[in-house]
Amino acid sequence: DVKVTQSSRYLVKRTGEKVFLECVQDMDHENMFWYRQDPGLGLRLIYFSYDVKMKEKGDIPEGYSVSREKKERFSLILESASTNQTSMYLCASRGASELQPQHFGDGTRLSIL
Amino acid sequence: KNEVEQSPQNLTAQEGEFITINCSYSVGISALHWLQQHPGGGIVSLFMLSSGKKKHGRLIATINIQEKHSSLHITASHPRDSAVYICAARRPARQLTFGSGTQLTVLP
């Protein structure tokens, strides 16, 4: 079974802090994704990566950056956290083909105070 | 207008009822996904389909490409089916676009 592990289930940070969310997958997947999920808006893509050191902006990249130094790990960085970044963050991975399903982590509920 | 619309937003059913969740999309797609999210956050992929119908246990997913519409059916519903059900459309060479989800509650 594919395992996608997010480092924290719950996280509380303060405005202005630099925040790191970590995601690790164990299936040698090429593609990894970061989403945020807000009530009424569904999942929205922040960034994705199709290979080590490669990244592409999603629909809402502003205020975020990502890092993929190793194939199994994809990090989401909030450079200077703001209250409007309070949300549920979900990481996913997928193999090379678009026809394969995405596998999701359990999510990190992030609160910015 | 969202590219992917789900209805209803909330659905409450009695155990044993037949359930239908609808998904409409406004763009040409290469595939339509149905996902399930349980309380606590974890998301599981249920189906990916580009035509016709797929069945897995008590779950059935159908898609009508001409009408740009897909349905997820649950037969003999059970309280453990209570979850958020999400449809997502894949446009060619694009990433998934998600609906806002349907919260299903099945009462014993």
Side-chain angles (χ1 to χ4, degrees):
Chain A
D1 259 5
V2 176
K3 185 74 174 169
V4 179
T5 303
Q6 294 185 229
S7 52
S8 306
R9 291 300 305 275
Y10 301 94
L11 204 54
V12 180
K13 295 291 182 180
R14 297 218 169 263
T15 303
E17 282 193 65
K18 191 168 186 175
V19 181
F20 293 85
L21 301 183
E22 306 286 346
C23 176
V24 177
Q25 51 96 1
D26 65 357
M27 281 302 291
D28 204 36
H29 281 169
E30 287 77 6
N31 295 279
M32 296 188 74
F33 308 84
W34 274 108
Y35 298 94
R36 64 177 284 176
Q37 184 180 31
D38 300 288
L41 296 177
L43 278 81
R44 293 179 291 166
L45 181 63
I46 304 170
Y47 267 96
F48 68 98
S49 168
Y50 52 89
D51 202 351
V52 176
K53 296 192 186 295
M54 306 305 289
K55 61 186 179 186
E56 292 276 350
K57 293 180 180 178
D59 299 319
I60 50 165
E62 297 78 17
Y64 303 94
S65 63
V66 289
S67 171
R68 190 148 179 222
E69 295 298 316
K70 293 185 178 182
K71 192 174 186 180
E72 67 269 21
R73 186 180 296 270
F74 192 35
S75 303
L76 179 69
I77 303 152
L78 285 66
E79 297 289 346
S80 177
S82 64
T83 54
N84 63 11
Q85 292 178 308
T86 291
S87 186
M88 169 73 98
Y89 289 87
L90 288 145
C91 174
S93 73
R94 194 200 73 209
S97 168
E98 279 189 357
L99 299 178
Q100 294 172 286
Q102 291 188 18
H103 298 268
F104 287 82
D106 288 336
T108 296
R109 191 164 293 280
L110 174 65
S111 297
I112 306 295
L113 304 179
Chain B
K1 188 182 189 304
N2 292 338
E3 290 184 350
V4 179
E5 299 269 0
Q6 283 185 241
S7 64
Q9 283 191 307
N10 294 282
L11 181 56
T12 300
Q14 289 295 136
E15 183 173 356
E17 285 186 14
F18 180 84
I19 287 163
T20 296
I21 298 169
N22 296 299
C23 178
S24 297
Y25 50 92
S26 58
V27 295
I29 67 169
S30 56
L32 192 289
H33 296 248
W34 282 101
L35 308 158
Q36 180 191 57
Q37 184 175 29
H38 276 286
I43 293 177
V44 174
S45 180
L46 297 174
F47 295 104
M48 181 173 64
L49 65 166
S50 54
S51 65
K53 179 167 88 172
K54 286 191 176 181
K55 184 176 189 289
H56 183 69
R58 294 180 296 105
L59 301 177
I60 304 166
T62 65
I63 188 166
N64 185 319
I65 298 295
Q66 286 74 27
E67 294 187 5
K68 292 188 168 60
H69 182 268
S70 177
S71 293
L72 177 69
H73 306 285
I74 305 175
T75 61
S77 60
H78 190 276
R80 65 174 173 266
D81 296 326
S82 298
V84 176
Y85 292 85
I86 301 167
C87 71
R90 173 174 297 289
R91 297 170 67 179
R94 296 278 297 273
Q95 300 305 321
L96 292 175
T97 301
F98 294 82
S100 57
T102 295
Q103 173 70 63
L104 171 65
T105 303
V106 181
L107 302 175

PDB file of all heavy atoms in Angstrom, chain A residues 34-58:
ATOM      1  N   TRP A  34       0.795  19.662  -3.361  1.00  0.00           N
ATOM      2  CA  TRP A  34       0.306  20.287  -2.134  1.00  0.00           C
ATOM      3  C   TRP A  34      -0.995  21.022  -2.435  1.00  0.00           C
ATOM      4  O   TRP A  34      -1.064  21.820  -3.382  1.00  0.00           O
ATOM      5  CB  TRP A  34       1.307  21.290  -1.562  1.00  0.00           C
ATOM      6  CG  TRP A  34       2.323  20.673  -0.667  1.00  0.00           C
ATOM      7  CD1 TRP A  34       3.641  20.459  -0.912  1.00  0.00           C
ATOM      8  CD2 TRP A  34       2.110  20.190   0.671  1.00  0.00           C
ATOM      9  NE1 TRP A  34       4.249  19.865   0.156  1.00  0.00           N
ATOM     10  CE2 TRP A  34       3.324  19.689   1.143  1.00  0.00           C
ATOM     11  CE3 TRP A  34       0.979  20.121   1.502  1.00  0.00           C
ATOM     12  CZ2 TRP A  34       3.474  19.136   2.413  1.00  0.00           C
ATOM     13  CZ3 TRP A  34       1.114  19.571   2.763  1.00  0.00           C
ATOM     14  CH2 TRP A  34       2.354  19.086   3.214  1.00  0.00           C
ATOM     15  N   TYR A  35      -2.021  20.719  -1.621  1.00  0.00           N
ATOM     16  CA  TYR A  35      -3.326  21.355  -1.732  1.00  0.00           C
ATOM     17  C   TYR A  35      -3.673  22.030  -0.398  1.00  0.00           C
ATOM     18  O   TYR A  35      -3.206  21.611   0.649  1.00  0.00           O
ATOM     19  CB  TYR A  35      -4.429  20.328  -1.999  1.00  0.00           C
ATOM     20  CG  TYR A  35      -4.319  19.546  -3.273  1.00  0.00           C
ATOM     21  CD1 TYR A  35      -3.702  18.291  -3.299  1.00  0.00           C
ATOM     22  CD2 TYR A  35      -4.847  20.046  -4.462  1.00  0.00           C
ATOM     23  CE1 TYR A  35      -3.625  17.550  -4.478  1.00  0.00           C
ATOM     24  CE2 TYR A  35      -4.767  19.312  -5.637  1.00  0.00           C
ATOM     25  CZ  TYR A  35      -4.160  18.066  -5.635  1.00  0.00           C
ATOM     26  OH  TYR A  35      -4.088  17.340  -6.797  1.00  0.00           O
ATOM     27  N   ARG A  36      -4.545  23.022  -0.479  1.00  0.00           N
ATOM     28  CA  ARG A  36      -5.222  23.464   0.724  1.00  0.00           C
ATOM     29  C   ARG A  36      -6.721  23.259   0.530  1.00  0.00           C
ATOM     30  O   ARG A  36      -7.211  23.308  -0.612  1.00  0.00           O
ATOM     31  CB  ARG A  36      -4.895  24.907   1.110  1.00  0.00           C
ATOM     32  CG  ARG A  36      -5.309  25.981   0.174  1.00  0.00           C
ATOM     33  CD  ARG A  36      -4.995  27.380   0.725  1.00  0.00           C
ATOM     34  NE  ARG A  36      -5.916  27.812   1.752  1.00  0.00           N
ATOM     35  CZ  ARG A  36      -5.806  28.960   2.429  1.00  0.00           C
ATOM     36  NH1 ARG A  36      -4.781  29.770   2.207  1.00  0.00           N
ATOM     37  NH2 ARG A  36      -6.686  29.293   3.350  1.00  0.00           N
ATOM     38  N   GLN A  37      -7.392  22.988   1.633  1.00  0.00           N
ATOM     39  CA  GLN A  37      -8.815  22.688   1.592  1.00  0.00           C
ATOM     40  C   GLN A  37      -9.546  23.610   2.548  1.00  0.00           C
ATOM     41  O   GLN A  37      -9.265  23.610   3.747  1.00  0.00           O
ATOM     42  CB  GLN A  37      -9.068  21.227   1.966  1.00  0.00           C
ATOM     43  CG  GLN A  37     -10.524  20.806   1.861  1.00  0.00           C
ATOM     44  CD  GLN A  37     -10.725  19.352   2.242  1.00  0.00           C
ATOM     45  OE1 GLN A  37     -10.018  18.802   3.078  1.00  0.00           O
ATOM     46  NE2 GLN A  37     -11.701  18.701   1.612  1.00  0.00           N
ATOM     47  N   ASP A  38     -10.471  24.387   2.011  1.00  0.00           N
ATOM     48  CA  ASP A  38     -11.249  25.317   2.816  1.00  0.00           C
ATOM     49  C   ASP A  38     -12.735  25.062   2.593  1.00  0.00           C
ATOM     50  O   ASP A  38     -13.147  24.692   1.472  1.00  0.00           O
ATOM     51  CB  ASP A  38     -10.902  26.762   2.428  1.00  0.00           C
ATOM     52  CG  ASP A  38      -9.437  27.068   2.649  1.00  0.00           C
ATOM     53  OD1 ASP A  38      -9.050  27.173   3.827  1.00  0.00           O
ATOM     54  OD2 ASP A  38      -8.690  27.184   1.667  1.00  0.00           O
ATOM     55  N   PRO A  39     -13.557  25.263   3.631  1.00  0.00           N
ATOM     56  CA  PRO A  39     -14.996  24.993   3.505  1.00  0.00           C
ATOM     57  C   PRO A  39     -15.611  25.729   2.320  1.00  0.00           C
ATOM     58  O   PRO A  39     -15.391  26.924   2.124  1.00  0.00           O
ATOM     59  CB  PRO A  39     -15.560  25.518   4.835  1.00  0.00           C
ATOM     60  CG  PRO A  39     -14.417  25.427   5.782  1.00  0.00           C
ATOM     61  CD  PRO A  39     -13.185  25.726   4.963  1.00  0.00           C
ATOM     62  N   GLY A  40     -16.369  24.995   1.519  1.00  0.00           N
ATOM     63  CA  GLY A  40     -17.064  25.592   0.382  1.00  0.00           C
ATOM     64  C   GLY A  40     -16.212  25.802  -0.851  1.00  0.00           C
ATOM     65  O   GLY A  40     -16.732  26.096  -1.925  1.00  0.00           O
ATOM     66  N   LEU A  41     -14.894  25.644  -0.717  1.00  0.00           N
ATOM     67  CA  LEU A  41     -13.994  25.895  -1.854  1.00  0.00           C
ATOM     68  C   LEU A  41     -13.369  24.620  -2.392  1.00  0.00           C
ATOM     69  O   LEU A  41     -12.789  24.627  -3.473  1.00  0.00           O
ATOM     70  CB  LEU A  41     -12.881  26.867  -1.442  1.00  0.00           C
ATOM     71  CG  LEU A  41     -13.339  28.261  -1.055  1.00  0.00           C
ATOM     72  CD1 LEU A  41     -12.146  29.098  -0.611  1.00  0.00           C
ATOM     73  CD2 LEU A  41     -14.063  28.945  -2.212  1.00  0.00           C
ATOM     74  N   GLY A  42     -13.449  23.538  -1.661  1.00  0.00           N
ATOM     75  CA  GLY A  42     -12.830  22.308  -2.129  1.00  0.00           C
ATOM     76  C   GLY A  42     -11.315  22.359  -2.047  1.00  0.00           C
ATOM     77  O   GLY A  42     -10.726  23.252  -1.433  1.00  0.00           O
ATOM     78  N   LEU A  43     -10.671  21.408  -2.675  1.00  0.00           N
ATOM     79  CA  LEU A  43      -9.220  21.362  -2.706  1.00  0.00           C
ATOM     80  C   LEU A  43      -8.696  22.276  -3.804  1.00  0.00           C
ATOM     81  O   LEU A  43      -9.187  22.251  -4.942  1.00  0.00           O
ATOM     82  CB  LEU A  43      -8.718  19.936  -2.977  1.00  0.00           C
ATOM     83  CG  LEU A  43      -8.650  18.982  -1.795  1.00  0.00           C
ATOM     84  CD1 LEU A  43     -10.021  18.394  -1.519  1.00  0.00           C
ATOM     85  CD2 LEU A  43      -7.648  17.884  -2.060  1.00  0.00           C
ATOM     86  N   ARG A  44      -7.706  23.065  -3.460  1.00  0.00           N
ATOM     87  CA  ARG A  44      -7.080  23.932  -4.452  1.00  0.00           C
ATOM     88  C   ARG A  44      -5.587  23.658  -4.468  1.00  0.00           C
ATOM     89  O   ARG A  44      -4.949  23.562  -3.424  1.00  0.00           O
ATOM     90  CB  ARG A  44      -7.355  25.401  -4.118  1.00  0.00           C
ATOM     91  CG  ARG A  44      -8.824  25.801  -4.264  1.00  0.00           C
ATOM     92  CD  ARG A  44      -9.035  27.256  -3.902  1.00  0.00           C
ATOM     93  NE  ARG A  44      -8.841  27.494  -2.486  1.00  0.00           N
ATOM     94  CZ  ARG A  44      -8.708  28.697  -1.946  1.00  0.00           C
ATOM     95  NH1 ARG A  44      -8.715  29.774  -2.712  1.00  0.00           N
ATOM     96  NH2 ARG A  44      -8.565  28.821  -0.636  1.00  0.00           N
ATOM     97  N   LEU A  45      -5.039  23.568  -5.672  1.00  0.00           N
ATOM     98  CA  LEU A  45      -3.652  23.184  -5.846  1.00  0.00           C
ATOM     99  C   LEU A  45      -2.733  24.380  -5.603  1.00  0.00           C
ATOM    100  O   LEU A  45      -2.883  25.428  -6.238  1.00  0.00           O
ATOM    101  CB  LEU A  45      -3.437  22.635  -7.258  1.00  0.00           C
ATOM    102  CG  LEU A  45      -2.044  22.155  -7.603  1.00  0.00           C
ATOM    103  CD1 LEU A  45      -1.644  20.962  -6.730  1.00  0.00           C
ATOM    104  CD2 LEU A  45      -1.978  21.780  -9.079  1.00  0.00           C
ATOM    105  N   ILE A  46      -1.761  24.193  -4.715  1.00  0.00           N
ATOM    106  CA  ILE A  46      -0.808  25.261  -4.407  1.00  0.00           C
ATOM    107  C   ILE A  46       0.421  25.143  -5.313  1.00  0.00           C
ATOM    108  O   ILE A  46       0.771  26.064  -6.040  1.00  0.00           O
ATOM    109  CB  ILE A  46      -0.384  25.202  -2.927  1.00  0.00           C
ATOM    110  CG1 ILE A  46      -1.608  25.259  -2.009  1.00  0.00           C
ATOM    111  CG2 ILE A  46       0.573  26.353  -2.598  1.00  0.00           C
ATOM    112  CD1 ILE A  46      -1.287  24.976  -0.549  1.00  0.00           C
ATOM    113  N   TYR A  47       1.068  23.995  -5.233  1.00  0.00           N
ATOM    114  CA  TYR A  47       2.238  23.695  -6.058  1.00  0.00           C
ATOM    115  C   TYR A  47       2.248  22.200  -6.335  1.00  0.00           C
ATOM    116  O   TYR A  47       1.691  21.413  -5.576  1.00  0.00           O
ATOM    117  CB  TYR A  47       3.540  24.021  -5.306  1.00  0.00           C
ATOM    118  CG  TYR A  47       4.112  25.400  -5.525  1.00  0.00           C
ATOM    119  CD1 TYR A  47       3.837  26.423  -4.631  1.00  0.00           C
ATOM    120  CD2 TYR A  47       4.952  25.656  -6.599  1.00  0.00           C
ATOM    121  CE1 TYR A  47       4.370  27.686  -4.818  1.00  0.00           C
ATOM    122  CE2 TYR A  47       5.494  26.925  -6.793  1.00  0.00           C
ATOM    123  CZ  TYR A  47       5.205  27.930  -5.898  1.00  0.00           C
ATOM    124  OH  TYR A  47       5.741  29.180  -6.080  1.00  0.00           O
ATOM    125  N   PHE A  48       2.924  21.814  -7.401  1.00  0.00           N
ATOM    126  CA  PHE A  48       3.207  20.408  -7.613  1.00  0.00           C
ATOM    127  C   PHE A  48       4.615  20.247  -8.164  1.00  0.00           C
ATOM    128  O   PHE A  48       5.240  21.212  -8.631  1.00  0.00           O
ATOM    129  CB  PHE A  48       2.151  19.736  -8.497  1.00  0.00           C
ATOM    130  CG  PHE A  48       2.134  20.194  -9.926  1.00  0.00           C
ATOM    131  CD1 PHE A  48       2.777  19.472 -10.916  1.00  0.00           C
ATOM    132  CD2 PHE A  48       1.426  21.333 -10.285  1.00  0.00           C
ATOM    133  CE1 PHE A  48       2.733  19.885 -12.235  1.00  0.00           C
ATOM    134  CE2 PHE A  48       1.371  21.751 -11.607  1.00  0.00           C
ATOM    135  CZ  PHE A  48       2.033  21.036 -12.578  1.00  0.00           C
ATOM    136  N   SER A  49       5.093  19.000  -8.083  1.00  0.00           N
ATOM    137  CA  SER A  49       6.441  18.693  -8.545  1.00  0.00           C
ATOM    138  C   SER A  49       6.393  17.390  -9.326  1.00  0.00           C
ATOM    139  O   SER A  49       5.787  16.416  -8.884  1.00  0.00           O
ATOM    140  CB  SER A  49       7.380  18.550  -7.345  1.00  0.00           C
ATOM    141  OG  SER A  49       8.609  17.982  -7.742  1.00  0.00           O
ATOM    142  N   TYR A  50       7.029  17.372 -10.505  1.00  0.00           N
ATOM    143  CA  TYR A  50       7.009  16.163 -11.326  1.00  0.00           C
ATOM    144  C   TYR A  50       8.352  15.435 -11.316  1.00  0.00           C
ATOM    145  O   TYR A  50       8.514  14.394 -11.951  1.00  0.00           O
ATOM    146  CB  TYR A  50       6.566  16.479 -12.761  1.00  0.00           C
ATOM    147  CG  TYR A  50       7.344  17.585 -13.410  1.00  0.00           C
ATOM    148  CD1 TYR A  50       8.513  17.319 -14.117  1.00  0.00           C
ATOM    149  CD2 TYR A  50       6.925  18.912 -13.306  1.00  0.00           C
ATOM    150  CE1 TYR A  50       9.226  18.337 -14.708  1.00  0.00           C
ATOM    151  CE2 TYR A  50       7.638  19.938 -13.891  1.00  0.00           C
ATOM    152  CZ  TYR A  50       8.786  19.643 -14.596  1.00  0.00           C
ATOM    153  OH  TYR A  50       9.500  20.657 -15.166  1.00  0.00           O
ATOM    154  N   ASP A  51       9.320  16.002 -10.587  1.00  0.00           N
ATOM    155  CA  ASP A  51      10.623  15.352 -10.487  1.00  0.00           C
ATOM    156  C   ASP A  51      11.427  16.074  -9.418  1.00  0.00           C
ATOM    157  O   ASP A  51      11.079  17.195  -8.993  1.00  0.00           O
ATOM    158  CB  ASP A  51      11.349  15.409 -11.829  1.00  0.00           C
ATOM    159  CG  ASP A  51      12.419  14.325 -11.967  1.00  0.00           C
ATOM    160  OD1 ASP A  51      12.723  13.644 -10.964  1.00  0.00           O
ATOM    161  OD2 ASP A  51      12.955  14.164 -13.078  1.00  0.00           O
ATOM    162  N   VAL A  52      12.517  15.458  -9.026  1.00  0.00           N
ATOM    163  CA  VAL A  52      13.386  16.098  -8.030  1.00  0.00           C
ATOM    164  C   VAL A  52      13.834  17.470  -8.542  1.00  0.00           C
ATOM    165  O   VAL A  52      14.172  17.622  -9.716  1.00  0.00           O
ATOM    166  CB  VAL A  52      14.607  15.198  -7.748  1.00  0.00           C
ATOM    167  CG1 VAL A  52      15.578  15.889  -6.801  1.00  0.00           C
ATOM    168  CG2 VAL A  52      14.164  13.871  -7.165  1.00  0.00           C
ATOM    169  N   LYS A  53      13.776  18.443  -7.662  1.00  0.00           N
ATOM    170  CA  LYS A  53      14.176  19.824  -7.926  1.00  0.00           C
ATOM    171  C   LYS A  53      13.287  20.525  -8.960  1.00  0.00           C
ATOM    172  O   LYS A  53      13.568  21.673  -9.322  1.00  0.00           O
ATOM    173  CB  LYS A  53      15.650  19.905  -8.362  1.00  0.00           C
ATOM    174  CG  LYS A  53      16.625  19.464  -7.277  1.00  0.00           C
ATOM    175  CD  LYS A  53      18.049  19.822  -7.632  1.00  0.00           C
ATOM    176  CE  LYS A  53      19.040  19.249  -6.627  1.00  0.00           C
ATOM    177  NZ  LYS A  53      18.867  19.829  -5.287  1.00  0.00           N
ATOM    178  N   MET A  54      12.240  19.881  -9.445  1.00  0.00           N
ATOM    179  CA  MET A  54      11.321  20.511 -10.393  1.00  0.00           C
ATOM    180  C   MET A  54      10.036  20.875  -9.666  1.00  0.00           C
ATOM    181  O   MET A  54       9.547  20.106  -8.828  1.00  0.00           O
ATOM    182  CB  MET A  54      11.016  19.573 -11.562  1.00  0.00           C
ATOM    183  CG  MET A  54      12.239  19.031 -12.277  1.00  0.00           C
ATOM    184  SD  MET A  54      13.344  20.329 -12.871  1.00  0.00           S
ATOM    185  CE  MET A  54      12.382  21.003 -14.200  1.00  0.00           C
ATOM    186  N   LYS A  55       9.486  22.036  -9.988  1.00  0.00           N
ATOM    187  CA  LYS A  55       8.243  22.476  -9.359  1.00  0.00           C
ATOM    188  C   LYS A  55       7.455  23.323 -10.340  1.00  0.00           C
ATOM    189  O   LYS A  55       8.023  23.967 -11.226  1.00  0.00           O
ATOM    190  CB  LYS A  55       8.537  23.270  -8.087  1.00  0.00           C
ATOM    191  CG  LYS A  55       9.337  24.526  -8.323  1.00  0.00           C
ATOM    192  CD  LYS A  55       9.723  25.190  -7.018  1.00  0.00           C
ATOM    193  CE  LYS A  55      10.563  26.438  -7.274  1.00  0.00           C
ATOM    194  NZ  LYS A  55      11.084  27.048  -6.041  1.00  0.00           N
ATOM    195  N   GLU A  56       6.143  23.293 -10.151  1.00  0.00           N
ATOM    196  CA  GLU A  56       5.237  24.079 -10.973  1.00  0.00           C
ATOM    197  C   GLU A  56       4.218  24.742 -10.063  1.00  0.00           C
ATOM    198  O   GLU A  56       3.729  24.116  -9.110  1.00  0.00           O
ATOM    199  CB  GLU A  56       4.492  23.193 -11.972  1.00  0.00           C
ATOM    200  CG  GLU A  56       5.348  22.582 -13.054  1.00  0.00           C
ATOM    201  CD  GLU A  56       5.564  23.522 -14.227  1.00  0.00           C
ATOM    202  OE1 GLU A  56       4.906  24.571 -14.283  1.00  0.00           O
ATOM    203  OE2 GLU A  56       6.407  23.186 -15.088  1.00  0.00           O
ATOM    204  N   LYS A  57       3.877  25.995 -10.365  1.00  0.00           N
ATOM    205  CA  LYS A  57       2.830  26.667  -9.612  1.00  0.00           C
ATOM    206  C   LYS A  57       1.479  26.055  -9.935  1.00  0.00           C
ATOM    207  O   LYS A  57       1.199  25.697 -11.068  1.00  0.00           O
ATOM    208  CB  LYS A  57       2.820  28.154  -9.950  1.00  0.00           C
ATOM    209  CG  LYS A  57       4.042  28.909  -9.477  1.00  0.00           C
ATOM    210  CD  LYS A  57       3.954  30.374  -9.845  1.00  0.00           C
ATOM    211  CE  LYS A  57       5.194  31.122  -9.367  1.00  0.00           C
ATOM    212  NZ  LYS A  57       5.157  32.555  -9.743  1.00  0.00           N
ATOM    213  N   GLY A  58       0.667  25.971  -8.883  1.00  0.00           N
ATOM    214  CA  GLY A  58      -0.709  25.557  -9.078  1.00  0.00           C
ATOM    215  C   GLY A  58      -1.610  26.768  -9.220  1.00  0.00           C
ATOM    216  O   GLY A  58      -1.207  27.791  -9.780  1.00  0.00           O
TER     217      GLY A  58
END
